[in-house]
Amino acid sequence: MDATAHHYAVTVSDLERAVEFYHGVLDLEVRSRFSVGGDAFAAGVGIEGASADFAHLDAGGVRLELVEYAPEGEARPEGALNQSGATHLGLEVEDLDAVYEELPDDIETLSEPQTTESGTRICFLRDPEGTLVELLET
């Protein structure tokens, strides 16, 4: 097998709100928006009658896919980073302190920026859906 990464996806309940966060707050460029439905899609994702709206954003050469499904599934509980199966998105920034200072007041962060033993500065926050996003400066 010669697999390569195509995209990383986050399922959201409100695509417009998610795009506003990732584009408006984190400045990722929206590359495309589209919808998919039909029997083959529903069978492929294993959800009867499924259709979805998508937004693809450029995260520095990595494609971030935001997807809003119909029908919408149950919300998952917010997890902690040390829980088995936990996931997060990692986005590198040039000046973490400046980005942190510019975050809107309603953005939940786990802490102020911290410098780890490796010298990397990190700050975790939650997107509007509760997905963990790590901002890091190396």
Side-chain angles (χ1 to χ4, degrees), residues 81-105:
L81 284 165
N82 63 346
Q83 290 177 314
S84 182
T87 61
H88 72 274
L89 299 173
L91 300 172
E92 187 172 358
V93 298
E94 287 186 28
D95 185 344
L96 181 57
D97 292 313
V99 171
Y100 179 80
E101 290 301 321
E102 294 175 11
L103 289 174
D105 292 338

Side-chain angles (χ1 to χ4, degrees), residues 38-50:
D39 293 340
F41 179 73
V45 298
I47 302 168
E48 187 175 332

Side-chain angles (χ1 to χ4, degrees), residues 104-121:
D105 292 338
D106 62 342
I107 301 296
E108 177 190 349
T109 60
L110 302 187
S111 74
E112 295 179 358
Q114 303 292 313
T115 302
T116 67
E117 291 176 356
S118 68
T120 301
R121 294 196 35 82

Side-chain angles (χ1 to χ4, degrees), residues 10 45 51 57 72 76 93 106 115 130 134-135:
V10 176
V45 298
S51 63
L57 294 93
E72 183 176 345
R76 65 174 169 79
V93 298
D106 62 342
T115 302
E134 177 185 13
L135 301 179

Side-chain angles (χ1 to χ4, degrees), residues 7-134:
H7 68 272
Y8 300 95
V10 176
T11 299
V12 300
S13 64
D14 184 332
L15 186 61
E16 295 308 317
R17 181 176 68 181
V19 168
E20 175 55 32
F21 174 78
Y22 286 97
H23 173 67
V25 175
L26 298 182
D27 204 27
L28 303 185
E29 182 180 344
V30 177
R31 293 295 200 171
S32 63
R33 295 184 70 140
F34 57 95
S35 298
V36 178
D39 293 340
F41 179 73
V45 298
I47 302 168
E48 187 175 332
S51 63
D53 295 319
F54 295 82
H56 283 182
L57 294 93
D58 182 357
V62 174
R63 184 183 326 205
L64 174 60
E65 178 179 274
L66 303 175
V67 57
E68 179 181 344
Y69 281 92
E72 183 176 345
E74 295 292 319
R76 65 174 169 79
E78 287 185 356
L81 284 165
N82 63 346
Q83 290 177 314
S84 182
T87 61
H88 72 274
L89 299 173
L91 300 172
E92 187 172 358
V93 298
E94 287 186 28
D95 185 344
L96 181 57
D97 292 313
V99 171
Y100 179 80
E101 290 301 321
E102 294 175 11
L103 289 174
D105 292 338
D106 62 342
I107 301 296
E108 177 190 349
T109 60
L110 302 187
S111 74
E112 295 179 358
Q114 303 292 313
T115 302
T116 67
E117 291 176 356
S118 68
T120 301
R121 294 196 35 82
I122 64 170
C123 176
F124 277 86
L125 52 92
R126 291 192 185 275
D127 77 3
E129 301 285 337
T131 301
L132 287 163
V133 178
E134 177 185 13

